[in-house]
Amino acid sequence: MRKLSIALLTVCVLAGAAFGAYPEKNIQGYIMWGAGGALDNVSRAIVPIVQEHLGKTIILQNRTGATGAIATTFVANQPADGYSILFGAENPNLYKVTGLSQIDYDQFEPVFLMMANVGVVIVSKDSPYTSYKELIEAAASGKTITMGSTGPGGLPYVATTMIEKIHGVKFNKMQFDGEGPCITALMGGHIDAVAVGLLAAANFIHSGNVRGLAMISSERIESVASVPAVTEVYEEYRPYLPWGAFFGAFVRKGTPAEALDVLRSAFTKAFQDPRFDEFAKTMGGVKLGISGDEAKKYIKQNQSVAAWLLYDAGGAKFSPEEFGIERPQGK
């Protein structure tokens, strides 16, 4: 009996020592959106620095389709061993209410949230609206305001729905195939305004081709400090914030704590590296740098706001309540 106990103990020690060497091999990274997009750029900016601290390569590939559900489902079906990382955005938060998939971030552990893409309401440089208040008051007076959109679930759609709900106004929505085409239409005078991610709009704001009226944020963003936070004008937005797109790295739930600790340490060091800091400033994104319970809370807040706004606007197939998604407090 004693020999058996010693043998079992030896096996356990050896197994622990073997896993303690994580990572023993290269890691696969799956980006849910295509090459050249915001998530792709952020992932490919931080990963080379992460690799320096891991001592192994993270082999990145874009596995696109179904609003990110293809990559999400694929990684959810890989072993929970830390060797398959999902590089994802906020999109899985709406999979259940839109009926796209039953797999979302509930099946994952956030390794690290790197950056947020905060929404900003912009108008053309020649627009008669020089402030956010002027735009809202015009809509409230019954004037037809045409807002750009990318369809249900996209940042422009959800942000516009938020604005409509808070102010009791209604916009004429014109749909485009992405934020880039929305901005092009705005500069061409085809729409009056659009709410897009700052990563798409920052360069246009800096060049003076568009005018930023308000950040959908509770504070100003350093890279476009001249654009006021929406709460400077309307306090009613606070229950919905923080909200916006976000970019992070995720592994399957059940991944050993030792692997998570190694990954989080490497991502944290990369996040603090001056090279990534410079990238974030150039891109116009907001650095997050959160993991664990803080990241989970951030994701749940984002899901609560987006899912209920989408449902209230008639853009969701199922009620968030069916999945235990709480309505934003007081709303």
Side-chain angles (χ1 to χ4, degrees), residues 62-83:
N62 300 89
R63 190 171 284 260
T64 62
T67 319
I70 298 296
T72 305
T73 302
F74 179 82
V75 178
N77 286 307
Q78 300 306 302
D81 56 8
Y83 288 100

Side-chain angles (χ1 to χ4, degrees), residues 140-164:
S141 72
K143 185 176 178 62
T144 300
I145 305 291
T146 301
M147 293 280 283
S149 176
T150 54
L155 187 150
Y157 183 94
V158 176
T160 301
T161 301
M162 181 191 299
I163 297 167
E164 290 179 327

Side-chain angles (χ1 to χ4, degrees), residues 10-20:
T10 302
V11 170
C12 290
V13 169
L14 290 174
F19 193 84

